[in-house]
Amino acid sequence: MCGPKQTEENDRVQDLNSGAVGRIKIHKDQEYSGLKGKALHAAKLDTPSRAEIMSVIPAHCFKKSTATSMLYCLTSCTITGSCAVAAHSFLPLQASWILAWMAYAVVTGTAVTGCWVVAHECGHGAFSDNVLIRDAVGYVLHTMLLVPYFSWQRSHAVHHSRTNHATEGETHVPSSAMIPENQIMYKLRSWMGERLYTFITLPLKLIFGWPLYLLLGASGGPVRGQTNHFLPNAGSKGQYELFPGKWKDKVWMSDVGIAAFLLVLVHWAVRARSIAPVLALYGGPLLVCNAWLVLYTWLQHTDVDVPHLDHDTWTWQKGAFLTIDRPYGALLDFLHHSIGSTHVVHHLNHQIPHYHAREATEAIKKAFPDQYLYDPTPIWAATYRVACKCVGVVNVDGMWVYRSENPKNA
């Protein structure tokens, strides 16, 4: 999507009055999440400056403790390792135990996502002020999860710098409803019915979304072309190059770690004289971890009434405030270091450690109630809605908004 084309949708708007969001112009076919249109309103507001945003967050929230961060790291690693040791000790590697191994994959994959989040915090510089420590921890953890640490560090920084930008964003960037690929998806949805369509496409996105992004730049910024996190010269050149200058060498450094760890996995399979233990103990949890990563990022920036903005309307502040906090519950917040329930403040300042993010979130929520987004919809329901209804975007009053029904049929 090199800039979704302007359509007649702008001519078909109506005034919507809601006490919660104020008076805004909305397309008559607009669907709503638990935000009830608040994001559409927030995108039209004048936003505070970065300095004003930072000034409301308590000063101690910016302070990092290497010891505290390491404690959380060891907690996630210990939980994950304990699951693996228990499975290796007590679960027979037999087909008749497949359900038990599937349960193990869900539990351990959910636990190891905490390690993923710690490495994510290292990549942002929030783990420690010591660059060597945070890069060493992040590199090891991400490499063991087959994530090219420095490559992803760079692409994720771009994601933060262009959040919810319709053409320059990075990851889960929407595409125009009018492109041939989305027209096919609309036809499939109409033919299958929304329930069957969702139950087929959702698992495919959760399973293949992450590797397709790393290898082909799927859902990445269209201005960057077909990127590859292992080949730094892939994709666009010049202004929109994903890995410019020194980042190319860092991509190769990431590749070395991935290649070395793949050799470890091969050695494991050779020693065991079977690939089965590798797939059961490591592969299953990895798939679940990848699915959590896709789900978190998807739900943090996508919903039926959360717009993406183009050059004329986007600002860094607006993009950051279009991030969505959601209710993941106490257990997942503990295991995943509140990555989904405090993500707004993470986009406002990614160097705030996760153990200060809750307090910082409350400060932002209090200071900027009209901009802060929290959708109380249960995660399972939000996931179904986004997977079912967020197909392609149309231009509505200067904002790019998802439509579940083919606009060509309107």
Side-chain angles (χ1 to χ4, degrees), residues 115-127 130-157 210 214 229-230 243 247 250-251 253-258:
C115 298
W116 206 109
V117 174
V118 169
H120 157 267
E121 198 148 282
C122 290
H124 278 300
F127 186 87
N130 186 305
V131 178
L132 179 61
I133 290 176
R134 72 191 187 213
D135 279 347
V137 172
Y139 187 90
V140 170
L141 291 178
H142 264 173
T143 297
M144 292 181 70
L145 293 170
L146 298 183
V147 179
Y149 174 73
F150 291 113
S151 308
W152 180 84
Q153 182 186 50
R154 162 62 183 170
S155 66
H156 194 62
W210 177 241
L214 290 181
H229 281 66
F230 303 94
F243 301 113
W247 285 103
K250 289 195 169 187
V251 171
M253 289 171 60
S254 302
D255 291 351
V256 169
I258 298 297

Side-chain angles (χ1 to χ4, degrees), residues 72-94:
Y72 281 105
C73 174
L74 292 175
T75 299
S76 291
C77 291
T78 300
I79 294 172
T80 302
S82 297
C83 291
V85 169
H88 182 266
S89 301
F90 301 110
L91 291 184
L93 199 58
Q94 300 171 0

Side-chain angles (χ1 to χ4, degrees), residues 60-336:
H60 67 267
C61 289
F62 299 97
K63 294 181 179 179
K64 307 157 196 171
S65 167
T66 301
T68 301
S69 295
M70 195 65 75
L71 179 61
Y72 281 105
C73 174
L74 292 175
T75 299
S76 291
C77 291
T78 300
I79 294 172
T80 302
S82 297
C83 291
V85 169
H88 182 266
S89 301
F90 301 110
L91 291 184
L93 199 58
Q94 300 171 0
S96 58
W97 284 77
I98 185 66
L99 292 180
W101 280 106
M102 290 175 66
Y104 159 79
V106 171
V107 172
T108 308
T110 299
V112 80
T113 302
C115 298
W116 206 109
V117 174
V118 169
H120 157 267
E121 198 148 282
C122 290
H124 278 300
F127 186 87
S128 170
D129 285 321
N130 186 305
V131 178
L132 179 61
I133 290 176
R134 72 191 187 213
D135 279 347
V137 172
Y139 187 90
V140 170
L141 291 178
H142 264 173
T143 297
M144 292 181 70
L145 293 170
L146 298 183
V147 179
Y149 174 73
F150 291 113
S151 308
W152 180 84
Q153 182 186 50
R154 162 62 183 170
S155 66
H156 194 62
V158 174
H159 162 68
H160 272 254
S161 71
R162 291 292 185 272
T163 307
N164 278 52
H165 194 295
T167 58
E168 296 180 19
E170 184 65 17
T171 76
H172 298 283
V173 179
S175 53
S176 170
M178 300 303 179
I179 66 172
E181 293 89 340
N182 279 337
Q183 285 297 304
I184 292 173
M185 298 307 289
Y186 279 119
K187 291 175 182 178
L188 284 175
R189 188 178 182 278
S190 176
W191 176 64
M192 293 180 178
E194 69 173 37
R195 184 169 298 178
L196 179 60
Y197 168 86
T198 305
F199 283 128
I200 291 177
T201 58
L202 176 57
L204 291 176
K205 187 176 185 76
L206 295 180
I207 293 171
F208 297 107
W210 177 241
L212 286 177
Y213 171 65
L214 290 181
L215 294 170
L216 301 175
S219 88
V223 296
R224 294 180 193 90
Q226 187 171 301
T227 58
N228 186 305
H229 281 66
F230 303 94
L231 301 174
N233 293 311
S236 301
K237 307 302 178 188
Q239 178 183 357
Y240 297 113
E241 189 171 7
L242 187 57
F243 301 113
K246 67 177 183 179
W247 285 103
K248 288 181 172 56
D249 290 336
K250 289 195 169 187
V251 171
W252 296 124
M253 289 171 60
S254 302
D255 291 351
V256 169
I258 298 297
F261 191 70
L262 286 174
L263 287 177
V264 171
L265 295 178
V266 170
H267 178 71
W268 179 8
V270 171
R271 286 290 300 271
R273 298 184 179 180
S274 171
I275 197 174
V278 180
L279 295 177
L281 283 164
Y282 177 81
L286 182 65
L287 288 179
V288 173
C289 177
N290 290 347
W292 273 117
L293 168 62
V294 172
L295 182 64
Y296 270 119
T297 312
W298 197 13
L299 293 186
Q300 285 158 354
H301 304 289
T302 308
D303 218 319
V304 293
D305 56 354
V306 176
H308 283 66
L309 309 176
D310 57 24
H311 289 288
D312 296 329
T313 54
W314 183 90
T315 66
W316 177 87
Q317 294 95 317
K318 285 185 178 182
F321 269 121
L322 286 174
T323 305
I324 315 157
D325 281 346
R326 298 186 185 272
Y328 285 88
L331 178 59
L332 288 177
D333 277 350
F334 167 72
L335 291 174
H336 299 163

